[in-house]
Amino acid sequence: MPMDMDEEGGALRYLSTRERAAVRRFVVLLTERLGRNVVEIRVFGSAARGDMWSTRMPMRSDIDLLVLTREPVASIDQRDLDEETYPLFLESGRQISLLFRTVPEFAAPVDDAAREFVTRIRDEGRMLYHASPT
């Protein structure tokens, strides 16, 4: 079920109106393309913490999205979805960066770096979508 991304204090509170609109549309695209394979989508990193680089900077922070799935997403599908972010970048001025993990990979990290990543996501990540239990 989609979360309320626009309410004050919502998951996308640090993004501009254009950036929020781009992320909302992309979450819909992800759930349509991947269907029941999608379990959760979370924003993390500077977009979740609120410390993105200003739009006046020559380089801009991206919007990091973690896509948790039941089964691995094929590389070609990941590439196709990544390519779908380009028009949203042109529209909003921020690149959407995708990271795909399966639920088992997220639940049982294999090394220190993966454990640190999972801890960071749990601490700072903000839920954008959570599938209804089946």
Side-chain angles (χ1 to χ4, degrees), residues 3-121:
M3 303 292 163
D4 190 348
M5 298 180 233
D6 290 328
E7 70 182 29
E8 187 172 324
L12 301 177
R13 65 179 168 256
Y14 299 115
L15 303 184
S16 72
T17 302
R18 262 192 270 159
E19 292 162 349
R20 283 194 307 269
V23 171
R24 273 194 318 273
R25 284 198 316 281
F26 195 68
V27 166
V28 169
L29 177 86
L30 283 167
T31 59
E32 287 175 351
R33 290 270 181 91
L34 299 176
R36 296 178 50 83
N37 195 22
V38 178
V39 175
E40 291 180 2
I41 302 171
R42 300 182 193 197
V43 62
F44 69 97
S46 60
R49 292 188 308 266
D51 59 5
M52 294 188 312
W53 293 346
S54 164
T55 56
R56 295 182 301 260
M57 299 288 289
M59 292 183 63
R60 291 187 174 179
S61 300
D62 59 355
I63 300 170
D64 296 304
L65 297 183
L66 171 67
V67 183
L68 281 178
T69 58
R70 289 178 174 80
E71 300 292 329
V73 177
S75 296
I76 192 163
D77 294 330
Q78 288 184 35
R79 188 197 73 226
D80 290 348
L81 287 164
D82 190 52
E83 288 175 2
E84 293 283 350
T85 67
Y86 187 67
L88 300 172
F89 164 71
L90 294 176
E91 176 186 320
S92 71
R94 295 234 190 239
Q95 179 64 44
I96 295 174
S97 296
L98 300 172
L99 184 60
F100 293 89
R101 291 290 183 272
T102 63
V103 170
E105 289 171 330
F106 194 74
V110 296
D111 57 28
D112 288 342
R115 279 188 286 282
E116 183 179 315
F117 174 73
V118 168
T119 299
R120 189 168 49 113
I121 295 296

